[in-house]
Amino acid sequence: MLTHEEQLAEFEARIARGEKIEPGDWMPAEYRRQLIRMISQHAHSEVVGMLPEGAWITRAPNLRRKMVLISKVQDEGGHGQYLYHAAESLGISREEMLDALLEGRAKYSSIFNYPTLNWADIGVIGWLVDGAAIKNQTMLAQASYGPYSRAMVRICAEETFHHKQGKEMVIQYAQGTPFQRQMVQDSINRWWWPTLMMFGPHDSDSPNSETLIKWGIKTKTNDELRQEFINEMVADLTAVNLTLPDPDLHFDEASGNWTTGPIDWDEFWRVVKGNGPCNKERLAARQEAHENGRWVREAMAAFAARSPQVIA
Ligand code: 3HC
């Protein structure tokens, strides 16, 4: 019988060897808690993330764009499913996670509390927001917890497609008519700062990073990922003559990085705490969808009670 210290040492040695931790394996309670916290927030983000884009399905300008958008929104629902399953493998139930979301106790990504005001927002969400998500999720595909890292591999493949369709749209509008250029620039102006906030608070204000990095859940810090994203996006957006809404943005020769002005963290925390532009609307939409699906859950439960062998 190993002591707690010996189990912890073996667990950390496995992570150091690059082995994946699987659901039945011994893990510290704090590792389990951190994963449930992070994966459930991530799952909620995917599902709430369907709302701002879903609002534009009926207004897509042509059939091709409509089909792409429907597929993308459907993919996000699927990502939520993989992630809820990954979290369930740690011993939390789907109902507990959904209750936390529907009662407003759970966090989900700040970015989905902003409104989609014009059609170009759909392209900008694909290029910027999904681009930021991929940067974070490519890292999480290396996470030490097996079910999370495997879910991330599949999700990243699909997100890459989302990213490409967004980039294609933005470049097309940036090179289009004066109206299209103005529409896409307006969209970049509104989404730039909230996208930078997606990566989370600065490292000095990130209470979870140290533990997550120690146990191989994250391998890069919030600021490292944000900086990589800024460097790539400044180059790509300026190449198509779009500007960024930051008078302080400059290239720092010493570090080789693009340096931005200060991020408005008061705005970030307002949004995270439920007081962003669309928090109440998003929660109400999820509550309504959950209520509308009640009859399906009840029918499934009744069917399972009558025909358990079919469900099994
Ligand atoms: N929105 C909402 N809450 C956020 C946040 C954000 N952008 N960034 C940080 N927070 C919260 C954290 O959850 C934490 O709250 P808690 O301790 O009460 O749970 C608090 O702020 C402090 O932040 P930390 O930096 O300490 O938190 P983490 O170390 O966990 O880092 C994270 C935050 C980078 C978001 C990390 O949790 C993570 O990588 N999560 C998984 C990926 C994810 O959830 N992505 C969301 C976007 S998914 C998406 O965009 C879908 C795609 O289809 C577009």
Side-chain angles (χ1 to χ4, degrees):
M1 182 73 176
L2 297 179
T3 64
H4 177 81
E5 283 65 33
E6 286 165 341
Q7 283 176 313
L8 182 61
E10 174 53 20
F11 167 83
E12 291 185 338
R14 289 186 63 196
I15 291 176
R17 288 196 296 271
E19 287 175 31
K20 296 293 179 203
I21 307 299
E22 298 297 340
D25 295 347
W26 186 90
M27 61 184 80
E30 177 60 8
Y31 181 81
R32 188 184 299 274
R33 188 192 74 80
Q34 281 286 354
L35 282 168
I36 290 176
R37 176 190 71 81
M38 196 165 143
I39 301 174
S40 62
Q41 288 178 5
H42 194 167
H44 299 327
S45 303
E46 299 283 352
V47 172
V48 177
M50 298 167 78
L51 297 170
E53 292 184 280
W56 281 85
I57 290 174
T58 53
R59 291 174 281 173
N62 58 51
L63 184 58
R64 176 173 171 262
R65 294 280 183 218
K66 193 189 285 278
M67 283 165 52
V68 170
L69 183 55
I70 290 173
S71 304
K72 180 176 190 293
V73 171
Q74 182 176 293
D75 285 351
E76 308 297 2
H79 298 173
Q81 290 286 356
Y82 310 150
L83 289 163
Y84 283 126
H85 280 302
E88 282 171 320
S89 72
L90 290 152
I92 186 168
S93 70
R94 181 80 60 113
E95 288 72 25
E96 284 174 87
M97 290 185 273
L98 289 181
D99 283 352
L101 174 66
L102 297 171
E103 290 165 14
R105 288 182 281 116
K107 290 192 173 75
Y108 58 85
S109 185
S110 49
I111 194 75
F112 300 120
N113 292 304
Y114 290 85
T116 39
L117 299 179
N118 71 31
W119 170 252
D121 285 1
I122 301 305
V124 168
I125 289 178
W127 198 6
L128 266 68
V129 173
D130 293 335
I134 292 172
K135 187 145 274 311
N136 168 272
Q137 292 173 172
T138 310
M139 167 192 77
L140 294 174
Q142 312 298 320
S144 55
Y145 187 57
Y148 195 23
S149 78
R150 289 190 288 274
M152 282 297 112
V153 172
R154 169 101 186 245
I155 289 176
C156 284
E158 293 177 356
E159 289 293 350
T160 303
F161 161 76
H162 300 172
H163 185 240
K164 283 187 180 147
Q165 63 84 38
K167 185 170 180 176
E168 187 231 349
M169 269 173 84
V170 172
I171 292 175
Q172 183 178 342
Y173 300 146
Q175 295 170 345
T177 63
F179 177 79
Q180 287 173 322
R181 267 198 61 77
Q182 182 269 328
M183 176 174 70
V184 78
Q185 183 63 61
D186 168 62
S187 180
I188 298 279
N189 294 349
R190 285 182 288 106
W191 290 94
W192 175 248
W193 289 109
T195 305
L196 298 190
M197 294 174 194
M198 271 178 82
F199 291 94
H202 284 312
D203 297 347
S204 51
D205 297 319
S206 165
N208 298 295
S209 282
E210 191 183 338
T211 308
L212 295 176
I213 287 174
K214 176 176 72 171
W215 284 332
I217 299 171
K218 296 204 299 201
T219 51
K220 291 182 182 175
T221 69
N222 299 355
D223 282 330
E224 283 169 349
L225 287 175
R226 184 172 16 246
Q227 189 62 61
E228 285 179 18
F229 175 80
I230 292 168
N231 289 348
E232 287 166 23
M233 289 313 299
V234 171
D236 283 357
L237 291 169
T238 50
V240 290
N241 294 326
L242 289 165
T243 59
L244 290 164
D246 180 358
D248 298 326
L249 183 70
H250 65 277
F251 187 72
D252 178 47
E253 295 283 349
S255 63
N257 288 323
W258 283 93
T259 303
T260 68
I263 294 173
D264 184 350
W265 294 113
D266 289 343
E267 173 180 324
F268 172 77
W269 289 115
R270 256 196 323 276
V271 175
V272 171
K273 289 179 181 161
N275 298 311
C278 298
N279 294 61
K280 290 178 183 59
E281 190 184 315
R282 301 288 183 245
L283 203 54
R286 286 311 314 155
Q287 287 161 342
E288 187 187 350
H290 194 72
E291 200 44 44
N292 289 343
R294 178 177 299 283
W295 70 271
V296 178
R297 293 190 299 279
E298 287 174 357
M300 291 294 288
F303 182 70
R306 266 188 48 193
S307 319
Q309 72 286 2
V310 178
I311 295 290

